[in-house]
Amino acid sequence: MERDLWRVSYSSFPKFKCPRCRSGTLSTVKESMQRRQTKYSKLEHNQEGWEPDWITERFVCLLECGYAFCGEVVTVCGLVYYQYGEYPDGEDTGWDFSPTFLPHSMRPAPPVISLSAKLPKECGEHLKKAFELMWFDASACTNRIRTFVEALLDHFEIDKEGQNKKGELYRYNLDKRIQLFEEKMPGHKVVFDALRWFGNFGSHGGATKWEAILDAFHLVEYIIDEVIDHKGAKIKAIAQNIVDKKGDV
């Protein structure tokens, strides 16, 4: 996960990975950038005490994949704002009128993490939706990540229901299903639990922070690496081979 790519706002958009080909990178189509301040915002300029952070300005633009055989186009829209700080020459402080872009939507969304070719399609679709939702609805994004976890447990055929002491069927909650998965594939419970709590917090109206969303995607990436691609097992196998041969490999 290239964490530095993912920010709440940008002075210019970085080279995101293309959501279609996953090989090319996206660049801003310069002539596509459009910014417009609302009429009511312009009228406020005449009010006493007006400052540039009162401005209400929207933007839209296109990002295009540079890979010749792809050329995917991503639409971006959101808000423009201006910050108070040092002037470009550094001699004083004041308003810098270089725009800062706060995206609310990117569609189709660039992938925050790489999705393994071995990942079940349903799981991948939930994550793709979470990539879109992170920009404008953090709670919905957390719900999609939680749904991804449930779908992944389905893939590993973890039971959804069982019998209580009276012999009656009842539906397992996610906590119980994670415990069952741990019995089947030990060593990942704390990561699954973190994603469960993350999903619970967002689902109940918690104000999910941007860094927490990135942390959650980082954990999802780890889970994919470990239980789908088995990268940890591959590394351990390489290490064990070196140990077995006492370095003579």
Side-chain angles (χ1 to χ4, degrees), residues 234-249:
K234 292 173 184 176
I235 294 296
K236 290 176 183 177
I238 292 170
Q240 189 62 55
N241 182 53
I242 294 172
V243 171
D244 292 345
K245 296 182 178 180
K246 297 181 179 180
D248 186 16
V249 294

Side-chain angles (χ1 to χ4, degrees), residues 126-212:
H126 288 306
L127 290 179
K128 289 176 184 177
K129 200 64 182 177
F131 299 158
E132 288 186 4
L133 292 166
M134 67 184 285
W135 297 107
F136 69 96
D137 193 334
S139 293
C141 177
T142 63
N143 279 328
R144 278 290 177 164
I145 291 175
R146 180 189 172 93
T147 304
F148 157 78
V149 173
E150 293 274 14
L152 190 63
L153 296 179
D154 291 344
H155 169 70
F156 285 101
E157 299 181 340
I158 302 302
D159 289 341
K160 292 183 177 181
E161 58 183 17
Q163 289 185 336
N164 60 22
K165 293 180 180 179
K166 297 180 180 179
E168 299 169 334
L169 283 177
Y170 75 100
R171 187 175 179 82
Y172 290 146
N173 59 23
L174 184 54
D175 183 29
K176 175 63 176 177
R177 296 191 75 203
I178 290 172
Q179 292 177 37
L180 295 175
F181 181 84
E182 182 69 9
E183 294 171 7
K184 186 173 184 177
M185 295 181 68
H188 310 297
K189 186 176 186 299
V190 66
V191 179
F192 275 107
D193 277 343
L195 292 173
R196 175 174 64 86
W197 280 112
F198 177 75
N200 287 349
F201 182 75
S203 296
H204 291 91
T208 307
K209 297 178 181 178
W210 182 258
E211 289 300 316

Side-chain angles (χ1 to χ4, degrees), residues 4-27:
D4 290 344
L5 287 179
W6 308 100
R7 304 174 188 173
V8 174
S9 62
Y10 301 90
S11 56
S12 61
F13 293 108
K15 297 286 188 179
F16 295 119
K17 277 284 183 70
C18 174
R20 181 178 181 274
C21 69
R22 309 296 173 100
S23 298
T25 56
L26 302 172
S27 297

Side-chain angles (χ1 to χ4, degrees), residues 1-95:
M1 177 178 176
E2 297 182 70
R3 194 171 180 122
D4 290 344
L5 287 179
W6 308 100
R7 304 174 188 173
V8 174
S9 62
Y10 301 90
S11 56
S12 61
F13 293 108
K15 297 286 188 179
F16 295 119
K17 277 284 183 70
C18 174
R20 181 178 181 274
C21 69
R22 309 296 173 100
S23 298
T25 56
L26 302 172
S27 297
T28 305
V29 180
K30 291 182 180 179
E31 62 271 22
S32 72
M33 177 61 76
Q34 298 289 324
R35 293 159 43 198
R36 182 161 296 182
Q37 187 178 171
T38 65
K39 186 172 183 179
Y40 61 80
S41 178
K42 291 178 181 178
L43 293 172
E44 289 175 345
H45 287 228
N46 298 321
Q47 293 187 22
E48 184 178 352
W50 179 91
E51 291 190 352
D53 61 353
W54 292 19
I55 293 173
T56 301
E57 187 172 311
R58 323 286 187 193
F59 81 92
V60 294
C61 71
L62 302 175
L63 308 179
E64 187 172 38
C65 176
Y67 184 49
F69 295 99
C70 178
E72 176 65 285
V73 175
V74 172
T75 59
V76 186
C77 66
L79 296 176
V80 181
Y81 70 94
Y82 303 91
Q83 293 179 304
Y84 188 85
E86 289 189 355
Y87 287 119
D89 59 15
E91 293 180 358
D92 202 349
T93 56
W95 288 98

